[in-house]
Amino acid sequence: MASLMRGIIGRCCGGPSTSAGGLHHHDQPINQPAVGYPTSAPLTFVLNGQTVEVADPDPGTVVVDWLRQEGHTGTKRSCAEGGCGACTIMIQELSQDGKTWKKGLPINSCLTPLVSLGGCKVTTVEGVGTKEEGYHPIQKKMAACNASQCGMCTPGFVVNMYALLQENPKPTAEEVERRFDGNLCRCTGYRPILDAFHSLATTDIEDLAGAPCATRGERGAGAATLPACAGGCAKGGSCKKAGGGEAAGIDAARARREAGGVTIYRSGDNSTTWAQPSTLAQLCDLMSSSSSPYEIVASNTGIRGVKKYYDNAAWGGDDAGTAAAPSETLLINISRIQELNFVQQNSNGVELGCLTTLRDAIEALADSGGVKGAALSAHIAKVASQQVRAAATIGGNLSLHIKYPAFPSDVATILAGAGASATLVDPETKKESSVAVEDLKSVEGLVLKSVVIPLGSPADKFFTDRVALRHQNAHAIVNAAFGLDLDPAGGTIRGARIFFGGVSAAGVVRAPKTEAILIGKSPSADGLMGQALSALSQEVVPDDGRQKQYKSSLIQSLFYKFLLGLQPHLSPQLASAAAGFDRPVSTGLVDYKGAQDPNEFPVSENMPKVEALTNTSGETLYVDDLPEYRSSLHCAFVLARTGPCSSFQLDFDDAIAAAGFVCHVDASSLSSSGLQNAVSPSGEPLFAPAKSGVAYVGQRLAMVVCDTEANALEAARAVKVSYGPVTRDPVLTIEDAIAAKSFYNSKAEAFSKGDAPSALSSSAVKFSGVAECGHQHHFYLEQQTAVAARSSDGIKLAVSTQGPGLIAAMVSSTLGVPKTQVEVVQGFAGGAYGGKSSKSVPCALAAAVGTHFCGGRPVKCKMEINDNLAMLGSRRPHRLEYQVGCTEEGKINAIVATLYYQQGAYLDFGDMGGLDVLQMSLDGVYNCENWQLSGFECKTDTPGNTFCRGPVFLPGTFLIESVLDHVAHQVGREAEEVMSLNLYKKGDVSLAGQTLADSNARATFDLCVSNADFGDRAKEVEDFNAKNALVKRGLAICPSKYMMNPCTGFPSLVSVQEDASVLIQHTGCEIGQGLNTKAVQTAALELGVACDAIKCAATSSRIAKTGNVTGGSTTSEAICASTVLACQEIARRMAPVKQANPDAKWADLVSKCYSQGIDLAARAVYDGSQRQPGVLPDQQDNGPSPYVQYGCAAVEVQVDVLTGETQVLRVDLVQDNGISLNTAVDVGQIQGSFIMGLGYMLTEEFVWDRTGKRTGSAGSNVSNGTWEYKPMSSLDIPIEFNVTLLPKSVNSHGVLGSKSVGEPPLILSAGVVSAVRKAVQAFRRQQGGGKEKEFCAISAPATVEKVQLATGLNLQDLTLVAED
C-alpha cells in the first residue's frame, strides 16, 4: 500500500477542508466541547539536536511543509501521499525513564501533522550529516557507490538507513534488503543503493548510529545515549552533534507526560480544533459532550494517503487534492492514550490495543507463537511500507475499511479470518462490548479499544495470502484468509473460516457455504477440493468490472494454494506452488575495466558524481528548495473533471471569496490582455477556451493565484465549472481510435523496402499477429515546478526543465516581449526522463503569466502528483498488426504490418514522428530484406503524449522482439536460434538506411550468452519446469540496436578565475545523468587540473538556445565536445606563458596570464565539423546516425501460474559503451535505465475509467498517483543483476571514444516479457488441450493479471496429486 490512514478510530462526519490564512493565536474559544480547555503552550520538540518551540501550530500543517518553511529543505516533498519516501524523517519518543530517547523510527513527514510532534525528537537528513557539520558514513558510502543520480529520493533513503542503524547497528543483509519498501527511486534501479547499504551492514560500524562531528568525529545526536561535549572545537557545548541543545526538549517532553490533561491547538481562523486527551476518560468526555461533528484520529494522515482514492478526491471530487486539512471542526487525537496502546497475551489469545502500530503488531504476533500468529505477522509485514507501518495503527486500518469498504484492507481480511473480535467502549456509559471483526460495520460514536485474536490450538491450520500489482508497498488486488479448526485426534475439520478482500465494494466477503462443505471431512478427502472450488466459484463472485475474470480466478487459486499446504504427502511437483516464493538477498556484479582508458584519466575513471555528497545531505537545491520572497505568491490549475464536451463555463465567485485570493486567469484573461494562449506551436492551449470545450479530463481550464500554496489549491477547487453536453463516449485507447477512425493522418503513412507482398506469398511459413505496449508515466519525483519573478531587465524564472532556452522562447512568445528580457535558469532537476522538455512549459508559463497579472510579484507553480499525472502526457502506446513470412528454420523473409501510435488530444512540439522514426528501431538487430509498413497516429481524448526515455526505441524493440518470439513459436525453434539466424552482420544496411559498418550486435550477443552461461541454464530451466507443475521459469535473450542522434549544437563557456578555479557554464541540463561530472572530467583532462578545482554553473537561457533541450542521451557528449574545444582555446592562449614558464604550477600560470591581460574565458560549440582523432568524432557517412549503440541482456524469470506473479531471478546485461566517459556514472545509468524499462514491461499499468464509476469522471486516468501506479520497487529488481561494459570497443565516431548510455539499456528490458512468454508456454505445453499451439501474445506491461490469464489455467483441472 502506498500509505495508510494513521489511526482513524471513530467514524467521522463531513469531509476535509484547509485552514485559511496564517497561523495565529486566538484566545476566543469556539463552540466546541474543548471550550473548557485553553489553547496549549507552544508545541515543543527536539529537531536535529536542538529544542524547538512552535507557537500556535496549525492542525492542518504537516511536518514536511513546516520543515521546508523553516528552511530545512533537505527533506523533500514529492508525492505528498506517503508513497515515495522522499520525505522520510526519523522520530523518537521519550523512554519510560524520562532520561533518554527510544530507538528511532522512520516515518513519512508528508503524512504527519506538525502538532503530533509534541515531546518527540525528530532527525532530518540535515541531522544526519551536512557539508558544514560533516557527512555521515552512510552518506559517504552512498556517494562512493554512485547510489544517487537526480538526488530527489536520496535524503529519504539516507534517513531510513540511519534509523535502521539506530534500531540495530549490525543489521543482517536481509534486514537491509527489506528496509526500503517505502522508498522509491526512478534513477538508479536500486542496485547501487542496496550495494552501498549492504556494505555498511557487513562492516564493523557500531558508531554509525550517530552522526560524526566534523571537527572531532565523535558520536553525535543520533545516539540513544548522548555524550557530553568535551569542548574540543570552537562550537563547544552549543554543537548540536554533541546533544547540547536537547536538554530543554527532554525536560519539556517529561513535563508534558507528567502533566497529562488535554492538549489543545486551534487553526488560525478557529475553524479546526485539535484536542489531544491523555486518558480514555478524557476521550469519552470529549466525545459525549460534543455537539458538533468530530473525527477521532491517531495522527490524521489517512486523508493524505488512502482516503482520497476512495472518495474520488484524487480525481477532483469534493475532497480534491492533498493539501487540505479535514473539514471536521474537532479532531480528537488519541495517540497519547496509553490505555489504547498495549499488547497483552492471555488464555483468550493476543489483545492488541487500537493504537498498536502495524510494526508493533508484527513483532507481537510473531512472538505469540502458533501458526496463526506467525501467519498474521508475516502478512502484515507485506502491508504498506516501513514508514507507514511505524505509524499506521490496527484500529485506524480497520476504521478506514469500515468507512470505505472498497478499500481492500489486508488487516480487516486476515483478522476476520483469524476469528478476531473488537472491543468497543461507549463513551456515555463507559461500558465495553465485543463484536466479531467480520460483523464490525460501524464504530460511529464509539471507541474502538482493542482487537482480540484467538490463537487456537496447535492442530489448527491458518493461511493468508495476497496478490498485488507489485511485490511490495502495493494494495492487494485480492487478499484472503483461511482457517481450519481440526480435530487433534482424527484430523477432520470441525470448523472453517474462509474470507476474501478486494472482491467486493461491500467489503470483506465470507464463504459460509464452502465452509460447510469442508466440515466433517479430512483436508485430503477425495473430491473435497472439487466440491469446494465449485461452491466457491458460485458463492464468492467479484463485482462487475475490469478485473472480474482475474479476481474470480484468484479466489479459487488462493484457496487451492491453501489446500495444497494441508496435504500430508504433497507431491514435489506441487510443493513450489504451495510454498510460495522466498526471495533471497539480491546481488549484482559489475565489470567495466575493459571500457576504461587509464591514459585518459580522469575521463573514463570510476569517479563519483560531483553532486553526490550534497545529494545525500539534501543540500542539492531544486526549484522548490530556493528561498522565497515575503511577497511570493502561489498558483494552482483548475482542471477539467469531465471528458470531451463542446463548451464550459467558469464561476470564480467562491474562489474570489477564498482566503488569500489574489487573481484568476483563464483563456479570456489572456486574450483580453493581448497574451498568447499556447504551450506549443502545435496548437495546445495553456487554458482551454470556454467556447472550444474540453478535450480531455485533466485539461487546464484556468488558474488561481493566492498567497500560499494551500490557499491556491483550495481556491482552485472552489471554482465551479459547468460543462456542456457530452455527446460521445471518450476515445481513450488505440482500439477506441481505430473503431472511431480518429487519426491525425487521414491517409496512412507508408514505407516499404524490397517486395514484401511477394516475399510473404512465397514464404514456406506465413502467420499473423498483434503486439501491443502501453503508456508509461515519467514519474519524476520532483513534480513540475517553476518560479517566476520580475527582474531589472524583464522576467526571470527558475524552472525544473530539460530546456531553459525552450522555456524562454515560450515565455517570450506568451508575454509578447523580446527573448532578451526573459531569463530561465535550471540548476538541478529531480528526475525528468523526457517529461520536462515540452511538458515543463505549462507550469513555467503559469508562473510567468501569474507574475504578469500580479504586478511582477514572484509566483510559484508547483504541481501536486495527482494533477501532474492527470494533466500531462506520457510515453506513447503502440500497436503492431503484422503478417510475417519466414523459412522453416525461422529466417524472416518479409514483414507486412500496420502500426498505430497514440498521441492523445494534442500533438507535442510538432509531430513526434511515425514511421519515419519508428523505422530506426522497428527492425531491432534483425536483417529482413522486405518490409511494407503503414502507420496511423491516433487522436484520443487523453493528454497529449510526449517523449519518454528511449522513445521510439523501447516500443520498437518490444514489438520486433514479440515478432521474433512469434517466429520461434511458429517454426518450433528456440528464440535464440532464430535471433542468431537473423542477426545483422557488419556492413548490413538497417531499415532506416544505416550502414552498420561497426556493428557490435554479434559481439554483445555472444558475450551475453557466455556471461549468462545460457546453454547450461536453459537446460536447468527446462529441468525445473519438468519438476514443477504450477511454477514455471523462462530464460530469454534480448539484443538491441540504438541509433544515436548527432551530439551537436550545445555551447559551453569555460572561465578560468583569478584564483585558478574553473567555471563551466554549459547549455545542457543536469537531471541526474552525470552531465556536470563528465564535463568536469573533460575539462580536467584538457587543462591538466584537478577535478575539485572545477565547477559547473546553473544552466541559463542567456546562453542556451531554444533547441538546446537535454535529451536523447547525447547531451553529455555534446557538452563534453564543446568543453574540449573551449578548454583547448584557453590552453592555446596560455601556451606562450606556459612555454616561458615550463615549471609553473597551475595557479601560478593562471596568475601570470591574468597579469598579462590574457582572456581565460572561451566559448565554443561543437557543430560536427571539427575533427580530432581520438577526441572528437571522425567523419562518417554511414547513414542518418553518427553511430549505433548495441547491447544484449539475458533475463530469467519465475512465474506463479496460479497468481501470475513474476519474479525476475537474474539478468546478465552487456552494453557497448565504447570507452566510457565515467564508468561509475555509466553503469549507474545502465542499471537505472534497465529497471525503468522493467517497470514498463511488468507493473506500470494505465487504467482509464470509462464509466466514471471509480473516479466520478468518465475518461479519468485512474493511475494518477502512487496508490494505483506502480514503478519498480527495491524488491522487484532482479535478484541477480550483472552488468558488463563491452571491452575494447573504441568508438571513433564518439567523443573521446565513448558512446551514449542514458537510454539504450532501457530497451533491453523487453527481454523480460519474452522470458515470461517462455514460462507461460511451458505451462501451456504441460496442460495441453490445444492452448499450447497458440502464441502467447501478451502485451506490455505483462501484469499479474495478464500473465495469469495468459496461462489458460483451467481451474477445474486442478488436482492435489501431480501428474506422473
Side-chain angles (χ1 to χ4, degrees):
M1 259 183 343
S3 57
L4 285 172
M5 178 169 282
R6 182 182 172 186
I8 291 184
I9 307 303
R11 191 178 188 278
C12 62
C13 303
S17 68
T18 296
S19 305
L23 309 184
H24 304 289
H25 177 71
H26 287 256
D27 293 322
Q28 180 64 37
I30 56 178
N31 184 24
Q32 290 291 324
V35 67
Y37 302 100
T39 300
S40 299
L43 178 72
T44 304
F45 58 95
V46 174
L47 175 63
N48 296 330
Q50 296 294 313
T51 299
V52 174
E53 288 188 356
V54 182
D56 303 314
D58 193 301
T61 300
V62 290
V63 174
V64 67
D65 290 340
W66 181 86
L67 286 170
R68 296 178 62 77
Q69 290 164 10
E70 294 297 313
H72 304 282
T73 57
T75 302
K76 305 305 179 186
R77 187 179 188 270
S78 176
C79 73
E81 57 185 25
C84 72
C87 69
T88 301
I89 60 174
M90 187 180 78
I91 191 167
Q92 295 170 266
E93 295 184 347
L94 199 63
S95 62
Q96 291 302 314
D97 63 11
K99 297 179 180 179
T100 59
W101 300 104
K102 295 180 181 178
K103 291 181 178 180
L105 297 174
I107 63 168
N108 293 304
S109 61
C110 70
L111 301 179
T112 306
L114 174 65
V115 291
S116 68
L117 295 184
C120 294
K121 175 181 176 180
V122 176
T123 302
T124 69
V125 70
E126 292 96 338
V128 177
T130 63
K131 183 177 181 179
E132 179 183 359
E133 298 284 352
Y135 294 111
H136 191 280
I138 293 174
Q139 296 165 317
K140 294 177 181 178
K141 180 59 71 171
M142 285 198 76
C145 290
N146 194 43
S148 175
Q149 290 185 22
C150 83
M152 189 72 178
C153 71
T154 309
F157 276 97
V158 168
V159 174
N160 198 355
M161 184 64 184
Y162 184 76
L164 174 60
L165 293 176
Q166 285 283 311
E167 300 170 44
N168 181 6
K170 292 186 177 181
T172 66
E174 184 174 3
E175 288 172 331
V176 171
E177 186 89 358
R178 299 188 180 281
R179 181 69 179 191
F180 302 98
D181 53 5
N183 293 84
L184 293 180
C185 177
R186 192 56 146 172
C187 294
T188 68
Y190 303 99
R191 183 70 269 147
I193 297 175
L194 294 176
D195 287 342
F197 292 158
H198 282 314
S199 68
L200 288 173
T202 56
T203 306
D204 187 11
I205 52 170
E206 290 189 25
D207 287 336
L208 285 188
C213 172
T215 307
R216 297 180 287 116
E218 290 187 4
R219 191 172 182 179
T225 302
L226 300 169
C229 179
C233 69
K235 292 186 177 183
S238 67
C239 175
K240 68 181 182 180
K241 294 297 182 183
E246 291 192 9
I250 293 178
D251 291 342
R254 187 165 50 243
R256 177 192 179 99
R257 176 190 295 175
E258 294 169 353
V262 179
T263 302
I264 298 292
Y265 294 112
R266 294 187 173 94
S267 61
D269 62 354
N270 267 349
S271 63
T272 304
T273 294
W274 173 280
Q276 188 174 67
S278 56
T279 67
L280 181 57
Q282 292 169 353
L283 169 63
C284 292
D285 199 33
L286 285 168
M287 293 174 65
S288 61
S289 62
S290 175
S291 60
S292 303
Y294 63 84
E295 184 171 4
I296 300 179
V297 301
S299 278
N300 193 42
T301 59
I303 196 170
R304 292 173 177 269
V306 179
K307 178 184 174 184
K308 63 179 180 175
Y309 289 99
Y310 293 94
D311 64 5
N312 292 342
W315 298 282
D318 291 338
D319 296 336
T322 60
S327 63
E328 285 70 28
T329 312
L330 176 63
L331 303 177
I332 305 177
N333 178 269
I334 62 174
S335 62
R336 300 301 171 92
I337 301 177
Q338 290 304 307
E339 295 122 299
L340 303 179
N341 191 357
F342 64 90
V343 175
Q344 63 184 23
Q345 184 170 350
N346 52 39
S347 58
N348 294 325
V350 176
E351 185 175 10
L352 304 176
C354 70
L355 291 182
T356 304
T357 64
L358 298 187
R359 176 192 175 93
D360 290 342
I362 291 168
E363 183 177 345
L365 291 167
D367 293 341
S368 67
V371 65
K372 191 179 290 187
L376 291 171
S377 176
H379 191 115
I380 296 174
K382 299 175 184 176
V383 174
S385 66
Q386 289 281 350
Q387 292 92 322
V388 170
R389 292 192 296 270
T393 64
I394 292 292
N397 190 288
L398 282 176
S399 296
L400 182 61
H401 177 70
I402 291 167
K403 186 173 182 181
Y404 301 101
F407 161 54
S409 167
D410 288 90
V411 172
T413 301
I414 64 178
L415 288 181
S421 60
T423 303
L424 305 174
V425 177
D426 185 327
E428 296 281 353
T429 65
K430 310 299 191 295
K431 290 183 178 180
E432 295 186 359
S433 60
S434 180
V435 61
V437 167
E438 63 185 283
D439 298 325
L440 192 62
K441 304 304 180 184
S442 173
V443 291
E444 184 174 3
L446 301 171
V447 177
L448 175 54
K449 179 183 178 182
S450 65
V451 172
V452 179
I453 306 167
L455 293 181
S457 69
D460 291 350
K461 301 296 182 182
F462 187 70
F463 174 82
T464 71
D465 209 346
R466 72 192 306 270
V467 177
L469 188 57
R470 188 172 63 191
H471 289 119
Q472 64 181 25
N473 201 9
H475 69 76
I477 297 171
V478 171
N479 50 43
F482 313 116
L484 296 181
D485 175 13
L486 298 180
D487 182 350
T492 57
I493 301 171
R494 298 186 302 192
R497 301 180 65 82
I498 301 174
F499 287 84
F500 292 93
V503 299
S504 171
V508 177
V509 176
R510 189 171 185 177
K513 295 179 181 178
T514 308
E515 293 172 356
I517 290 174
L518 300 179
I519 294 175
K521 301 180 180 67
S522 166
S524 56
D526 291 342
L528 177 63
M529 187 198 72
Q531 295 177 49
L533 290 180
S534 177
L536 196 58
S537 67
Q538 300 176 49
E539 185 176 17
V540 182
V541 180
D543 293 344
D544 291 338
R546 181 179 61 88
Q547 292 184 311
K548 183 173 183 178
Q549 182 183 358
Y550 178 51
K551 289 184 177 183
S552 296
S553 181
L554 280 182
I555 288 166
Q556 297 186 64
S557 292
L558 296 182
F559 185 67
Y560 173 71
K561 278 178 171 271
F562 173 54
L563 292 179
L564 280 180
L566 298 176
Q567 304 313 303
H569 304 292
L570 186 61
S571 164
Q573 282 186 291
L574 297 175
S576 56
F581 186 82
D582 185 15
R583 180 183 171 95
V585 173
S586 64
T587 61
L589 298 176
V590 173
D591 184 358
Y592 55 77
K593 294 296 185 182
Q596 287 185 317
D597 182 356
N599 294 322
E600 290 186 353
F601 283 3
V603 171
S604 88
E605 194 171 2
N606 200 53
M607 186 182 110
K609 287 178 55 182
V610 294
E611 306 90 2
L613 282 170
T614 57
N615 281 1
T616 67
S617 64
E619 293 171 289
T620 298
L621 297 182
Y622 307 94
V623 174
D624 194 39
D625 298 334
L626 300 176
E628 292 186 11
Y629 294 100
R630 294 184 63 184
S631 60
S632 292
L633 302 174
H634 297 258
C635 68
F637 289 115
V638 179
L639 302 184
R641 304 303 179 185
T642 295
C645 64
S646 58
S647 64
F648 64 89
Q649 291 183 332
L650 298 170
D651 181 350
F652 291 99
D653 287 350
D654 289 347
I656 292 171
F661 176 84
V662 177
C663 74
H664 63 79
V665 183
D666 62 3
S668 64
S669 308
L670 298 178
S671 176
S672 61
S673 300
L675 273 61
Q676 296 296 314
N677 183 25
V679 297
S680 79
S682 302
E684 180 178 358
L686 176 59
F687 303 119
K691 293 183 179 180
S692 299
V694 174
Y696 63 91
V697 175
Q699 185 174 14
R700 298 173 298 279
L701 306 182
M703 76 177 194
V704 294
V705 183
C706 294
D707 59 345
T708 69
E709 179 187 3
N711 284 339
L713 289 168
E714 187 71 12
R717 288 191 288 272
V719 177
K720 296 177 181 177
V721 186
S722 301
Y723 299 95
V726 178
T727 56
R728 59 177 173 81
D729 293 334
V731 175
L732 301 174
T733 65
I734 288 176
E735 290 80 0
D736 293 345
I738 294 173
K741 294 183 172 56
S742 180
F743 307 118
Y744 283 95
N745 52 318
S746 57
K747 182 179 179 181
E749 295 181 77
F751 173 84
S752 62
K753 176 184 178 181
D755 187 352
S758 297
L760 177 65
S761 177
S762 62
S763 293
V765 179
K766 296 182 285 289
F767 60 90
S768 62
V770 176
E772 297 176 283
C773 51
H775 296 267
Q776 185 178 33
H777 282 309
H778 301 86
F779 209 84
Y780 31 75
L781 288 189
E782 180 200 21
Q783 306 305 315
Q784 297 281 2
T785 311
V787 179
R790 181 169 52 194
S791 65
S792 58
D793 57 354
I795 185 171
K796 185 171 183 177
L797 297 92
V799 185
S800 180
T801 182
Q802 294 173 247
L806 172 64
I807 298 294
M810 292 306 301
V811 170
S812 168
S813 174
T814 298
L815 299 183
V817 300
K819 194 177 177 183
T820 54
Q821 294 181 20
V822 181
E823 182 180 12
V824 178
V825 176
Q826 191 269 2
F828 301 95
Y833 323 108
K836 292 181 179 176
S837 49
S838 64
K839 296 305 178 183
S840 62
V841 172
C843 207
L845 290 184
V849 166
T851 292
H852 174 84
F853 280 100
C854 295
R857 292 176 66 180
V859 174
K860 177 183 288 188
C861 182
K862 181 177 69 174
M863 298 203 66
E864 296 289 314
I865 189 171
N866 297 139
D867 288 349
N868 196 339
L869 297 186
M871 185 181 90
L872 302 175
S874 67
R875 184 187 299 280
R876 293 201 305 187
H878 289 72
R879 176 183 174 96
L880 179 71
E881 298 176 355
Y882 57 86
Q883 300 176 68
V884 175
C886 64
T887 67
E888 294 180 348
E889 294 75 26
K891 181 68 176 75
I892 300 174
N893 297 324
I895 296 178
V896 177
T898 301
L899 262 168
Y900 299 92
Y901 17 95
Q902 182 177 344
Q903 177 51 39
Y906 294 99
L907 295 172
D908 205 36
F909 266 67
D911 196 336
M912 287 173 59
L915 294 183
D916 55 332
V917 292
L918 279 164
Q919 62 186 265
M920 299 174 71
S921 67
L922 194 57
D923 55 341
V925 294
Y926 308 117
N927 190 2
C928 173
E929 297 293 342
N930 302 286
W931 291 79
Q932 181 173 295
L933 299 173
S934 301
F936 291 93
E937 190 166 21
C938 299
K939 185 174 185 179
T940 54
D941 303 321
T942 59
N945 291 321
T946 188
F947 295 108
C948 184
R949 193 176 196 174
V952 177
F953 288 94
L954 180 58
T957 300
F958 172 79
L959 296 175
I960 192 61
E961 290 301 316
S962 299
V963 171
L964 261 289
D965 289 345
H966 199 166
V967 170
H969 174 80
Q970 208 70 24
V971 301
R973 290 175 175 262
E974 290 297 324
E976 294 69 39
E977 296 179 39
V978 174
M979 288 176 184
S980 184
L981 188 63
N982 288 280
L983 212 61
Y984 274 126
K985 301 184 296 293
K986 288 187 177 182
D988 286 344
V989 179
S990 76
L991 183 62
Q994 182 83 16
T995 300
L996 306 177
D998 303 310
S999 174
N1000 280 326
R1002 174 63 66 180
T1004 53
F1005 183 88
D1006 290 346
L1007 183 57
C1008 182
V1009 169
S1010 174
N1011 287 354
D1013 195 14
F1014 193 88
D1016 289 343
R1017 285 176 54 214
K1019 294 176 182 177
E1020 292 172 3
V1021 167
E1022 185 178 358
D1023 183 57
F1024 178 91
N1025 289 339
K1027 294 177 180 179
N1028 293 270
L1030 295 171
V1031 178
K1032 299 296 181 183
R1033 291 182 177 177
L1035 176 63
I1037 287 277
C1038 179
S1040 69
K1041 169 182 100 303
Y1042 203 106
M1043 296 175 62
M1044 304 308 304
N1045 292 319
C1047 59
T1048 57
F1050 282 77
S1052 180
L1053 171 63
V1054 180
S1055 306
V1056 180
Q1057 309 296 311
E1058 293 93 332
D1059 63 356
S1061 62
V1062 180
L1063 180 68
I1064 302 174
Q1065 294 170 276
H1066 60 66
T1067 51
C1069 291
E1070 177 57 66
I1071 53 179
Q1073 81 279 44
L1075 167 60
N1076 286 348
T1077 304
K1078 291 181 176 180
V1080 166
Q1081 289 173 281
T1082 303
L1085 174 65
E1086 291 297 325
L1087 297 177
V1089 300
C1091 287
D1092 58 11
I1094 308 172
K1095 300 295 180 185
C1096 291
T1099 302
S1100 169
S1101 61
R1102 295 295 197 205
I1103 63 171
K1105 298 177 294 184
T1106 302
N1108 290 147
V1109 178
T1110 297
S1113 298
T1114 58
T1115 311
S1116 293
E1117 280 186 286
I1119 295 303
C1120 287
S1122 296
T1123 300
V1124 163
L1125 293 172
C1127 289
Q1128 288 177 345
E1129 172 60 23
I1130 292 173
R1132 184 188 65 78
R1133 297 174 190 173
M1134 297 178 75
V1137 180
K1138 174 68 173 175
Q1139 187 174 6
N1141 302 273
D1143 298 326
K1145 294 183 179 180
W1146 169 253
D1148 294 334
L1149 191 63
V1150 170
S1151 178
K1152 292 180 183 298
C1153 288
Y1154 265 95
S1155 67
Q1156 296 180 32
I1158 297 174
D1159 182 8
L1160 295 186
R1163 180 184 184 275
V1165 56
Y1166 171 68
D1167 60 15
S1169 65
Q1170 302 94 332
R1171 299 279 179 267
Q1172 288 186 40
V1175 179
L1176 298 177
D1178 62 11
Q1179 184 67 42
Q1180 68 85 28
D1181 53 2
N1182 293 326
S1185 294
Y1187 65 87
V1188 180
Q1189 247 270 22
Y1190 299 92
C1192 191
V1195 184
E1196 182 178 0
V1197 303
Q1198 179 168 301
V1199 171
D1200 186 328
V1201 173
L1202 293 171
T1203 64
E1205 293 169 297
T1206 298
Q1207 290 281 352
V1208 183
L1209 302 180
R1210 178 174 166 179
V1211 170
D1212 293 272
L1213 188 152
V1214 175
Q1215 193 70 44
D1216 174 17
N1217 205 36
I1219 298 300
S1220 169
L1221 292 176
N1222 182 316
T1223 50
V1225 168
D1226 287 351
V1227 167
Q1229 287 288 293
I1230 291 169
Q1231 293 167 326
S1233 183
F1234 181 85
I1235 297 303
M1236 182 174 176
L1238 210 59
Y1240 179 62
M1241 296 296 166
L1242 292 178
T1243 62
E1244 297 185 41
E1245 182 179 35
F1246 263 47
V1247 176
W1248 299 102
D1249 186 356
R1250 292 186 172 277
T1251 64
K1253 182 178 180 181
R1254 174 68 194 278
T1255 65
S1257 301
S1260 290
N1261 181 0
V1262 176
S1263 313
N1264 72 331
T1266 60
W1267 184 252
E1268 294 291 353
Y1269 191 74
K1270 301 298 179 183
M1272 290 277 106
S1273 70
S1274 59
L1275 290 184
D1276 296 298
I1277 68 172
I1279 295 170
E1280 184 178 350
F1281 189 9
N1282 305 315
V1283 173
T1284 299
L1285 300 185
L1286 185 69
K1288 301 178 181 179
S1289 173
V1290 180
N1291 178 27
S1292 62
H1293 311 309
V1295 178
L1296 293 166
S1298 70
K1299 287 189 175 184
S1300 295
V1301 70
E1303 295 174 307
L1306 182 87
I1307 65 181
L1308 296 174
S1309 60
V1312 74
V1313 179
S1314 295
V1316 168
R1317 286 195 184 106
K1318 286 192 173 186
V1320 170
Q1321 292 288 169
F1323 177 75
R1324 287 180 172 184
R1325 287 192 297 272
Q1326 171 190 292
Q1327 186 168 246
K1331 188 73 173 178
E1332 74 280 4
K1333 297 178 182 178
E1334 300 177 17
F1335 173 62
C1336 177
I1338 193 168
S1339 62
T1343 61
V1344 287
E1345 178 183 12
K1346 291 180 186 177
V1347 173
Q1348 200 270 352
L1349 296 179
T1351 64
L1353 173 67
N1354 187 343
L1355 296 167
Q1356 303 307 313
D1357 291 340
L1358 293 176
T1359 175
L1360 298 177
V1361 180
E1363 299 287 337
D1364 292 332

